[in-house]
Amino acid sequence: MHKLAIRVDGNRHIGLGHFFRALHLADFLKELHGVEVCFFLLESSFGRVPRTFLDKSGHAHAFVSEEQNPWQQDQNRLASELTTYAPDVVLTDILEPDPGDRDLLENCEYSPVDLAQTLSLIRDTGVPIAVVSDRFDAMRMDADLFINTCPAQQAGWYPEDMQRKYLLGAEAYV
C-alpha cells in the first residue's frame, strides 16, 4: 500500500480551500487506489470543520505545531512525524501569499508557514515532493512535481528542462 503525507493548512483566517482541495484528493486516492493518507496540520487548522471532515473520511492526522503556539510550525516535530509515518510522497498545499497580500504577510495567524523552509526540510527526508498552489505569479519551488491551477500560469515562466515537472493553469485541472 502506498502512503501519502499531506501538509496543508486552513483556518478561519485563511479559509479552508487548500484543506478541502487536499481532502478531496486524499479521498479520491484512498477510494480508487487504496492509498493511505495522513494529514500534517497546525493545531490552528484543526477547527470544527476540518475535524468533522477528517473524522468522517477516516484519514489519519498529526499535529506539527510548536508546543505553545498552534499558529507556528515546529520544524523538528514535522521532521519527526514524517520520519515516523514514512510516506512514499509528501504533498504540500500551503498558502503562499502573493507579494501584495499585506494582511497575510504581516500576520502570522494568516500565513504561519515558511514554504521554502518546509520544502527544504521535506527534501532532507529524501521523499519526493509534490507542491500544489493557485498563486498568480511564477514560483520557484524545490519540488518533484509542481501543480499550479491559476489560469494565468504560463509555461514560459519556468525553465524548459523542468517542464515535465510542472502542471500549469487549465492543464492542472484535467
Side-chain angles (χ1 to χ4, degrees):
M1 174 183 290
H2 292 289
K3 294 170 73 173
L4 172 66
I6 297 179
R7 177 64 189 89
V8 64
D9 292 322
N11 58 49
R12 68 181 195 266
H13 295 295
I14 64 173
L16 294 170
H18 294 262
F19 171 78
F20 279 112
R21 177 168 49 203
L23 181 64
H24 292 304
L25 177 61
D27 289 344
F28 172 80
L29 292 171
K30 178 181 175 182
E31 183 178 318
L32 292 180
H33 301 289
V35 174
E36 178 184 315
V37 179
C38 184
F39 282 77
F40 293 80
L41 306 161
L42 297 180
E43 290 178 66
S44 61
S45 293
F46 202 63
R48 182 180 53 82
V49 173
R51 178 182 294 121
T52 299
F53 281 90
L54 275 177
D55 288 348
K56 183 179 175 183
S57 73
H59 299 300
H61 68 275
F63 294 121
V64 294
S65 300
E66 291 179 353
E67 202 62 39
Q68 300 298 318
N69 187 348
W71 297 99
Q72 291 296 313
Q73 178 172 282
D74 181 328
Q75 295 294 88
N76 293 327
R77 193 171 180 187
L78 176 59
S80 175
E81 292 289 348
L82 284 173
T83 300
T84 299
Y85 183 63
D88 298 301
V89 175
V90 176
L91 173 82
T92 65
D93 192 342
I94 300 172
L95 179 69
E96 177 75 359
D98 291 313
D101 289 340
R102 300 297 345 144
D103 59 330
L104 294 176
L105 295 168
E106 295 171 359
N107 186 335
C108 73
E109 292 183 359
Y110 293 130
S111 182
V113 176
D114 181 329
L115 182 55
Q117 184 181 35
T118 298
L119 293 177
S120 177
L121 179 144
I122 296 168
R123 174 70 56 210
D124 289 346
T125 68
V127 177
I129 304 169
V131 173
V132 176
S133 178
D134 54 10
R135 197 167 140 178
F136 173 78
D137 56 348
M139 298 177 71
R140 300 293 182 245
M141 295 291 139
D142 184 17
D144 299 290
L145 173 64
F146 179 70
I147 303 165
N148 190 317
T149 59
C150 177
Q153 287 290 303
Q154 301 172 24
W157 292 352
Y158 300 92
E160 262 186 54
D161 61 336
M162 300 293 283
Q163 282 186 340
R164 292 183 304 159
K165 295 183 178 187
Y166 288 88
L167 297 175
L168 304 172
E171 293 177 14
Y173 287 105
V174 183

